[in-house]
Amino acid sequence: MKSTGPGKRSTEEQGKTWSLCWQAVGDRNFLSSPVLAALIRSRLIGAHQRSGRVLIDFVVLPTEIHVIAKIGSDDTVSGIARAFGNVVSRWVRQAQLARGPVFVAAFSAQPINAVEDRKREMRMLAWRPVIKGVCATPTHHSTGALRVALGLTTAKGFDARPMLKHFGDAVPAARNALRQWISIRPSAEDWRAWELTRGLELARGNLGPHKFMAKVADGGAAKLIAAAGGYGMEAALELLGAWVGARVQPATTLDLHKRSDAVAARARALVACVAVEHRLCSAASVARYFGRAKATLSEQMTVCRSRPVDRLIVGTPLRRILEEAAALRSVQDGNRRGATARPAKR
């Protein structure tokens, strides 16, 4: 997850489109009253009316605010965050008559410059109110850009054309294409990866020096954890262990927790190399997961990195790892179902 604090400016953030997110602390509620909701929406729109800023999409939820915005090369993400977040914090405190922080963090931000990536982000924002239990279908949520883009309502000051341009030049055709696009509900795995990269959920595990640990996961780490079926790092390491085992010894299943031979040692080192490569966790965490000495694992990792065939395994593209891991899990699930359905021998 990329985040930019006040006063900081990166060359990466100039002239790009960004997905921004604010998350509420505790029982803070951005929609606690119609007046507060209207103020927040108005401020969100107003913060993007400066030259060079384009508000493409947004949705305001009780505990989350999401924005897709383009900023000019002479502007910064933190500029938008300040123009919006500071004022909203004051309004929420006044509305709820409670002092203290309003946001979990200043904001989170991810660049989304490819058109298809922006369209996928729009789909996630359309379905987020449904996932959070605010409404039954995407078009029912009133505090967002979707209903405006579809011509179902208006929002003073918001121009829906930048959003519709992603789906066509003619408004009627673009609206139809947008409806078709958001008709596909994101999968549970999509949601897990999306939440992890935005810090809405933390990657969790008992892999730290003091056992339990929680951290923000981004990029490949988020995808690995999401593919494993939850928010736990142990499950992601289990997924990698199965995948590496199949690459190292396809004929039989490797128990990397119990086996102590050279094949298992190599496989554990490969798991650690891949985990570190995709920033899932440290080598020390992998050593704790397998119940091995970190120094020994590090030595084995060094050997793997010097071996050409192992470098190919470690360098496998993440998409291929996930595809092969999913296929392997499908085969294993099929074998288990077959074994369960097979009648016992007499």
Side-chain angles (χ1 to χ4, degrees), residues 9-337:
R9 179 184 178 91
S10 166
T11 55
E12 289 185 355
E13 70 180 60
Q14 301 176 23
K16 287 188 174 183
T17 302
W18 292 82
S19 171
L20 307 176
C21 170
W22 292 264
Q23 184 181 15
V25 168
D27 58 355
R28 296 294 192 183
N29 188 340
F30 302 130
L31 303 181
S32 60
S33 73
V35 173
L36 179 60
L39 283 171
I40 290 176
R41 182 173 64 179
S42 176
R43 184 62 185 177
L44 189 58
I45 294 170
H48 290 82
Q49 289 178 336
R50 170 178 161 174
S51 177
R53 295 178 183 176
V54 179
L55 180 58
I56 298 172
D57 192 6
F58 70 91
V59 64
V60 182
L61 300 167
T63 59
E64 298 172 12
I65 299 172
H66 298 278
V67 170
I68 301 174
K70 185 174 183 178
I71 66 170
S73 58
D74 61 341
D75 203 352
T76 65
V77 174
S78 58
I80 294 177
R82 282 195 304 270
F84 174 70
N86 293 344
V87 176
V88 169
S89 291
R90 186 174 70 249
W91 286 342
V92 172
R93 281 193 288 266
Q94 291 172 348
Q96 297 187 312
L97 301 177
R99 301 174 67 180
V102 171
F103 300 117
V104 171
F107 65 97
S108 71
Q110 294 78 33
I112 46 169
N113 290 297
V115 172
E116 288 305 309
D117 289 341
R118 292 199 293 269
K119 289 171 67 175
R120 279 191 289 270
E121 188 73 2
M122 290 176 203
R123 179 184 285 157
M124 303 302 282
L125 265 56
W127 279 96
R128 191 60 178 171
V130 179
I131 294 299
K132 298 298 289 183
V134 177
C135 57
T137 65
T139 56
H140 286 178
H141 186 60
S142 60
T143 316
L146 180 61
R147 286 177 60 83
V148 181
L150 293 175
L152 301 175
T153 189
T154 60
K156 185 179 179 181
F158 176 65
D159 184 359
R161 286 175 297 180
M163 183 177 181
L164 290 172
K165 282 286 187 181
H166 289 76
F167 300 92
D169 293 324
V171 171
R175 283 175 172 166
N176 287 335
L178 174 57
R179 280 187 178 275
Q180 291 180 342
W181 180 254
I182 65 168
S183 67
I184 302 172
R185 182 170 180 151
S187 68
E189 183 176 330
D190 290 335
W191 280 119
R192 289 192 295 271
W194 189 83
E195 290 166 346
L196 284 164
T197 56
R198 280 144 188 81
L200 298 170
E201 292 286 349
L202 296 178
R204 300 181 283 269
N206 293 311
L207 302 173
H210 307 289
K211 282 293 184 180
F212 182 76
M213 62 182 292
K215 68 170 189 173
V216 173
D218 59 6
K223 292 179 180 178
L224 283 167
I225 293 168
Y231 300 101
M233 286 179 278
E234 286 97 339
L237 288 174
E238 181 181 356
L239 179 149
L240 285 179
W243 176 76
V244 167
R247 296 292 296 266
V248 171
Q249 188 171 290
T252 59
T253 302
L254 276 175
D255 188 335
L256 301 185
H257 289 276
K258 294 181 179 179
R259 285 183 54 169
S260 300
D261 55 23
V263 174
R266 175 193 170 204
R268 284 190 291 269
L270 285 170
V271 169
C273 288
V274 176
V276 171
E277 176 73 17
H278 295 288
R279 298 166 62 184
L280 173 63
C281 61
S282 65
S285 292
V286 178
R288 293 187 193 100
Y289 173 71
F290 287 121
R292 306 287 159 165
K294 196 266 183 181
T296 302
L297 182 65
S298 296
E299 291 175 2
Q300 294 160 344
M301 290 171 67
T302 301
V303 173
C304 285
R305 286 168 176 153
S306 68
R307 191 182 292 134
V309 65
D310 288 348
R311 286 202 301 269
L312 288 175
I313 294 175
V314 174
T316 303
L318 181 61
R319 177 177 294 183
R320 183 176 171 186
I321 292 175
L322 297 177
E323 289 173 350
E324 292 180 358
L328 182 64
R329 177 176 292 180
S330 179
V331 170
Q332 291 172 341
D333 289 345
N335 291 339
R336 278 194 291 268
R337 285 193 297 269

